[in-house]
Amino acid sequence: MRHTILSALLVASAPAAIAAPTPKDQLLVPPKDAAHYVVISSAGKHGDEYAWKLPDGRMAFRQSILLRGLIFETDETFRFGSDNMPSEIVIRGVTPSGDAAENYAVSGGQAAWTSPVDKGSAPYTSAAYYLPQGGTFLSFAPQIDRILAAGEAGLPLLPSGKATLTKISELEVEGPQGKRKVELQLLRGTTQTPTPVWTSDGKFFGALVGLTLLPEGYEANMDRMQAAQDAAIAGLAPATAAKFLTADAKRPVLFKNVQVYDSLGETFVANQNILTAGNKIVSIGAVPASLPAGTRVIDGAGKTLVPGLWDSHMHVSDDFTAVSELALGVTSCRNPGGPLELQVSQRERRSNGKLLAPECFDSVIVDQKGPLAAQGSMAVGSLEETLAVVRKIHDAGLTGVKFYTSMNPAWIPPAAKLAHELGLHVHGHIPAGMRTLDAINAGYDEITHIYFGTMQAMPDAIVAKSNTTARMTGPGQYFKDVDLDAEPMKTVIKTMAEKKIALDPTLVVVEGVLLANAGQIQPAYTAYVGTLPAATERGFKSGPIPYPEGMTRADAEASVKKMGVYVNRLRAAGALIVAGTDGYGMELVRELELYVDGGMTPGQALATATINAARNVKADNRTGSITVGKEADLVLVDGDPSQRIGDLRHVNQVMSDGVLMDADALRAEAGFNGRPK
């Protein structure tokens, strides 16, 4: 869906100016005969959506969702013109980001819009479909209906672009209307990678994209539809893999006269020669007297060779995302929560050469059943169920269990004990009522997100809440005043260092949620502007979530800066810092830039995305550094990240398990239409 539910939930649109959202009691009330859809996931039901026709001919939509304490209460109306395209759209209500107000209208041959992130206009001389920046999930339906009607020609879009649909599978589902044939389509042109959507009889039926949107009564089909969707997309993967996993790509390679990043020493070494053969690094230093037959020689002058990058917080939601990660230089990742079945499938298909993807170390989210349960989690209702889920995660061959914000704190110590007995890594959000040291004492090996790493010093009112927004704005308001050299942070830093507790900071998430400027591209994405569909880039202009009463922009700026310093203090003390994005993957280098801003050298920052990440999942004996005998996971970048850490964006070549891949070809396959700036 246009929100691609919900890869960047908290960085959805926020108002460019302070506004009062339309109150819930003033939003449209759906009539009894309105089409009713439900918003669900494996964790249960999260909300409702309705569609109906108003007496004046307009289409109306109503959304009501409670997700992890986040509230969506919006309505939306469409009026269609003589060309069957939207001539008027009005969106009202509130999302976790504040006022959802957005307007679009066509008049006198001109289309004009005002959204929470931009204001613009364009000549309207031929039929085109305006894509709202926000709005209800179900209002996606008219767009899909018109793309289907457009056929192979596709549907022109506003502000720009063109959308197409391609059928790849079909399935029979059953519900209140009996059995129905539904068709799986891939939507292209609105997001970086194809978006799956289900249609029936030439109309929108539903979508499974992080959250599931289905007609009421068809909920029982979700698992079958998800399995069919995953299988259909998996059927496309071998053709992509075959383009890159060729015999020629597996030839030995000599990177000659190149600057090399030594992640073990956190330094850069000039004028090195690195030879790979098979899937191993076989020599470092001088050029060998003889090279293996068929060796490819790559001139490294002006370039830097680094170990394959790691994204330690990347929800690999589908096979398309996996290819995008490789295009960004990520050869290994930690998927901290996704469908168990998909994670197992991706691991097996990658091993068999049927999927082009980084090597991923996977966890599953475990949360308590109820209205605050995380979407897509394995929801549990007792300690016994929690222990059973931990065993299931182990039996599936995954590497970790991730506990979540509304988990019952009493269940964590015994569950963590079992996880450790089974060799699983324990990490996650810190449940309401627990502080940072409570989680560590309960058995956490790693704290997920910097704001949970600050929780020891937060007021009781913040610690007591499961609400995701409060867990972000609380540290944004108060952490600026926390003394890192005094209690309680002095003990937190000492404890994390002594116990080698890892921290997955995702500072880039905090920056995007608390410090973004509505209407301006966020720093994490500026280099990629012009390489992605307009609708995707428009989403990069979101503003900050609304601050609670008493919190200012100055508070947020000072607190985020202090968080960067805190990360560096933890690193210096001996805690393990691992870089992750929790987004599209494009944010990884920005994450490292924020570490440098917090006091790290580029060499220290880059260690968090190489050897530290490998150590965190106990894979450092075979990868994470450029060392003879280790796997040939390498990235050649144009430039000198020892001076400009941002040069890591300029990926030239990617080598994964000894397979050399051209970054331009990977970017094209992943949906980028050019190189980052």
Side-chain angles (χ1 to χ4, degrees):
M1 289 180 265
R2 74 168 156 260
H3 300 262
T4 308
I5 315 174
L6 283 166
S7 63
L9 176 65
L10 280 176
V11 290
S13 62
I18 296 175
T22 301
K24 178 181 177 179
D25 60 6
Q26 295 180 24
L27 297 176
L28 295 171
V29 177
K32 292 182 179 180
D33 61 350
H36 182 193
Y37 281 65
V38 291
V39 180
I40 58 176
S41 78
S42 60
K45 182 178 176 182
H46 303 286
D48 299 275
E49 303 237 355
Y50 299 88
W52 70 99
K53 183 170 285 190
L54 295 170
D56 63 4
R58 289 179 297 160
M59 280 295 301
F61 303 90
R62 180 71 167 87
Q63 175 186 73
S64 182
I65 297 174
L66 174 63
L67 186 69
R68 304 191 334 247
L70 306 173
I71 296 172
F72 298 75
E73 293 288 353
T74 63
D75 67 17
E76 187 168 0
T77 57
F78 275 64
R79 189 185 303 279
F80 294 97
S82 58
D83 59 2
N84 209 26
M85 296 293 117
S87 61
E88 175 191 282
I89 299 175
V90 177
I91 300 170
R92 306 183 304 166
V94 67
T95 73
S97 298
D99 188 15
E102 183 170 357
N103 294 275
Y104 166 81
V106 176
S107 178
Q110 194 80 3
W113 58 88
T114 301
S115 83
V117 303
D118 61 5
K119 183 176 183 179
S121 64
Y124 193 89
T125 57
S126 59
Y129 197 100
Y130 173 74
L131 291 186
Q133 198 276 333
T136 66
F137 299 155
L138 188 52
S139 65
F140 182 60
Q143 173 196 344
I144 295 301
D145 297 348
R146 281 150 183 77
I147 299 173
L148 282 171
E152 293 182 1
L155 183 68
L157 303 174
L158 285 174
S160 66
K162 182 174 74 172
T164 61
L165 285 168
T166 306
K167 176 186 171 182
I168 61 169
S169 182
E170 63 182 45
L171 183 70
E172 188 174 77
V173 298
E174 193 164 358
Q177 299 174 356
K179 294 182 179 180
R180 294 181 63 176
K181 184 179 77 172
V182 292
E183 299 178 330
L184 177 62
Q185 314 266 359
L186 287 183
L187 171 65
R188 292 181 170 88
T190 61
T191 56
Q192 177 194 348
T193 57
T195 300
V197 59
W198 291 87
T199 62
S200 180
D201 298 325
K203 300 288 185 181
F204 173 82
F205 179 78
L208 294 81
V209 194
L211 287 174
T212 293
L213 179 68
L214 287 175
E216 183 189 32
Y218 286 87
E219 299 95 314
N221 297 282
M222 179 180 70
D223 289 344
R224 288 181 59 243
M225 292 177 70
Q226 186 67 63
Q229 180 172 300
D230 291 344
I233 293 174
L236 305 176
T240 298
K243 294 179 184 178
F244 293 90
L245 304 180
T246 65
D248 185 62
K250 298 175 183 178
R251 289 164 48 193
V253 176
L254 175 66
F255 296 94
K256 191 174 181 180
N257 189 30
V258 66
Q259 175 174 255
V260 169
Y261 172 63
D262 172 15
S263 60
L264 298 175
E266 299 181 348
T267 59
F268 293 82
V269 185
N271 304 319
Q272 295 294 294
N273 302 284
I274 309 297
L275 177 65
T276 69
N279 69 337
K280 303 291 185 183
I281 299 168
V282 297
S283 74
I284 301 173
V287 177
S290 62
L291 298 176
T295 297
R296 184 196 312 256
V297 178
I298 296 179
D299 182 8
K303 299 178 174 61
T304 303
L305 191 68
V306 304
L309 300 178
W310 286 67
D311 188 335
S312 287
H313 198 131
M314 184 63 201
H315 298 276
V316 184
S317 57
D318 56 38
D319 294 352
F320 307 120
T321 303
V323 178
S324 181
E325 282 285 271
L326 280 175
L328 296 165
V330 173
T331 62
S332 303
C333 73
R334 201 262 305 272
N335 183 342
L340 182 146
E341 296 79 9
L342 178 61
Q343 291 175 331
V344 171
S345 168
Q346 289 178 328
R347 182 187 68 214
E348 293 175 349
R349 289 184 289 121
R350 180 184 185 276
S351 178
N352 295 331
K354 303 297 185 182
L355 174 66
L356 191 66
E359 180 182 10
C360 279
F361 297 79
D362 301 316
S363 303
V364 171
I365 296 174
V366 181
D367 205 356
Q368 185 173 349
K369 292 177 181 176
L372 299 179
Q375 72 274 15
S377 64
M378 286 186 168
V380 295
S382 67
L383 174 58
E384 291 71 24
E385 289 182 10
T386 305
L387 298 177
V389 164
V390 171
R391 293 187 184 97
K392 183 174 182 179
I393 292 170
H394 167 264
D395 293 346
L398 274 59
T399 59
V401 55
K402 179 182 178 182
F403 295 120
Y404 220 68
T405 316
S406 62
M407 190 71 177
N408 186 332
W411 301 343
I412 292 179
K417 181 176 182 292
L418 175 62
H420 288 150
E421 290 171 354
L422 297 174
L424 295 173
H425 185 76
V426 177
H427 62 124
H429 293 199
I430 296 180
M434 297 180 74
R435 297 180 184 270
T436 311
L437 290 175
D438 295 327
I440 293 170
N441 292 332
Y444 276 42
D445 302 304
E446 174 188 345
I447 305 299
T448 301
H449 301 302
I450 184 64
Y451 36 97
F452 290 110
T454 72
M455 208 51 54
Q456 197 69 32
M458 290 299 104
D460 291 343
I462 300 300
V463 175
K465 294 180 179 178
S466 291
N467 184 293
T468 302
T469 302
R471 291 301 188 92
M472 192 96 62
T473 56
Q477 183 173 7
Y478 298 112
F479 195 64
K480 70 181 191 307
D481 298 320
V482 172
D483 186 348
L484 299 179
D485 295 313
E487 298 296 352
M489 300 311 297
K490 182 178 178 180
T491 296
V492 173
I493 293 171
K494 182 174 182 289
T495 302
M496 291 185 68
E498 290 178 348
K499 293 189 174 184
K500 299 299 180 185
I501 303 298
L503 174 67
D504 163 23
T506 62
L507 281 174
V508 71
V509 172
V510 180
E511 179 184 59
V513 171
L514 296 181
L515 298 184
N517 292 299
Q520 297 180 20
I521 299 292
Q522 295 183 24
Y525 309 113
T526 53
Y528 298 94
V529 172
T531 70
L532 295 164
T536 299
E537 294 184 358
R538 199 177 182 200
F540 298 157
K541 298 179 180 180
S542 61
I545 60 174
Y547 299 152
E549 185 177 355
M551 179 178 170
T552 67
R553 174 79 180 202
D555 292 337
E557 291 173 347
S559 291
V560 172
K561 183 177 181 179
K562 175 72 73 66
M563 290 179 198
V565 173
Y566 175 38
V567 170
N568 189 36
R569 288 287 295 275
L570 283 167
R571 179 208 60 80
L576 195 67
I577 307 300
V578 294
T581 62
D582 198 17
Y584 297 95
M586 287 175 275
E587 305 90 349
L588 182 60
V589 179
R590 179 59 184 168
E591 180 77 6
L592 302 186
E593 289 175 334
L594 291 171
Y595 296 170
V596 172
D597 290 346
M600 293 189 201
T601 67
Q604 292 166 344
L606 186 48
T608 69
T610 53
I611 191 65
N612 284 9
R615 287 171 178 151
N616 195 38
V617 297
K618 298 179 173 59
D620 54 305
N621 63 326
R622 60 181 177 85
T623 188
S625 67
I626 301 177
T627 303
V628 172
K630 284 193 175 183
E631 294 170 5
D633 295 331
L634 304 166
V635 178
L636 186 67
V637 299
D638 293 320
D640 184 2
S642 73
Q643 302 299 314
R644 299 171 301 277
I645 193 73
D647 282 0
L648 289 169
R649 294 186 180 92
H650 304 301
V651 178
N652 182 290
Q653 300 287 324
V654 178
M655 179 175 281
S656 178
D657 293 331
V659 178
L660 187 69
M661 294 169 279
D662 177 72
D664 284 334
L666 282 170
R667 280 187 282 264
E669 191 70 31
F672 295 97
N673 63 29
R675 299 179 179 182
K677 297 185 186 68

